[in-house]
Amino acid sequence: TWADAEATGPAVRSEWRRGLIADLVRRCVSQLGGAHLDATPSSSPAIEQALTESGDTTVRLVPTDDGCSIVVSTPDRVGVLAVVAGVLSSYRLQIRGARIRTEGQRAAQEWFARPLFGDLPDERAIASDVRAALSGDLDIAARLEKRRNPTGLTAPRGAEPIVLIDESATHHTVVEVRAHDEPMLLYRVTSALAAADVAVVGAKIDTLGSEVVDAFFVTDRTGAPLSIDHAQAVRT
């Protein structure tokens, strides 16, 4: 796979893609060796640090070789994931991946993104918009609607999205969404989860070429896995 990427061009042989391939190889070797790989909310040093914070929402942007890492630490509530996804979409950032974890009353998010064009956005501007959207002073849905399709043209659509529900875990339900990537997709998916009244305790977001594979670890408001009817409502 890496040889294919090297032969294709610089847009494909990024360090981000090399990391995905290395992780896949590591997981395959581990499972072939007899290890059992559970689907659990992922973590990282940035996530762990964000979970230890308290008080108001904080936002940190760290430039990388092929984009940036954006770490958000905020008090948890239903819909906070959709709000942050919406703000990042409004800055025309391509979300290449994300790791989300919630513990107690704190939500930690680490986003891996790159601008669709131009330079990276200002960290202070993103932080200000995230706080304003969370407080209700910024209508992020209205802002995105204005930018959604200014030309009025209809873009070609990919295959119908696939939503898979895995209820085998003990402490949460896994909702996996596979779809063709398009603007504001993650915002719309996370808004649907909020509308279905589920708590996202963890998530792993990946954009693989033109396709997205997003796994959300969710519970109901009591912290229990979803009932059959609730899971069906989420799928719908």
Side-chain angles (χ1 to χ4, degrees), residues 161-180:
I162 298 172
V163 181
L164 305 173
I165 307 291
D166 181 359
E167 298 174 306
S168 61
T170 304
H171 302 296
H172 52 253
T173 300
V174 182
V175 180
E176 184 174 300
V177 180
R178 304 179 186 182
H180 187 75

Side-chain angles (χ1 to χ4, degrees), residues 1 3 6 9 11 13 23 32 34 64 68 101 123 127 141 144 159 168 173 228 234:
T1 302
E6 285 282 353
R13 61 171 181 259
D23 184 59
L32 287 170
T64 62
C68 64
R101 258 185 66 197
E123 175 184 281
L144 290 172
S168 61
T173 300
I228 295 175
V234 169

Side-chain angles (χ1 to χ4, degrees), residues 1 18-32:
T1 302
R18 182 192 287 271
L20 291 179
I21 296 169
D23 184 59
L24 176 61
V25 171
R26 179 186 61 78
R27 285 173 159 275
C28 287
V29 170
S30 180
Q31 192 148 16
L32 287 170

Side-chain angles (χ1 to χ4, degrees), residues 19-105:
L20 291 179
I21 296 169
D23 184 59
L24 176 61
V25 171
R26 179 186 61 78
R27 285 173 159 275
C28 287
V29 170
S30 180
Q31 192 148 16
L32 287 170
H36 177 65
L37 301 179
D38 284 327
T40 55
S42 54
S43 192
S44 70
I47 289 286
E48 295 296 337
Q49 179 182 344
L51 286 172
T52 65
E53 297 180 14
S54 60
D56 294 337
T57 298
T58 62
V59 178
R60 294 189 301 277
L61 186 151
V62 181
T64 62
D65 291 339
D66 54 354
C68 64
S69 166
I70 301 171
V71 180
V72 179
S73 176
T74 186
D76 187 37
R77 73 178 200 200
V78 172
V80 68
L81 182 58
V83 168
V84 177
V87 170
L88 298 184
S89 292
S90 74
Y91 280 86
R92 304 189 190 281
L93 289 171
Q94 180 192 34
I95 305 301
R96 309 174 74 176
R99 305 293 177 265
I100 287 89
R101 258 185 66 197
T102 300
E103 285 191 6
Q105 299 301 311

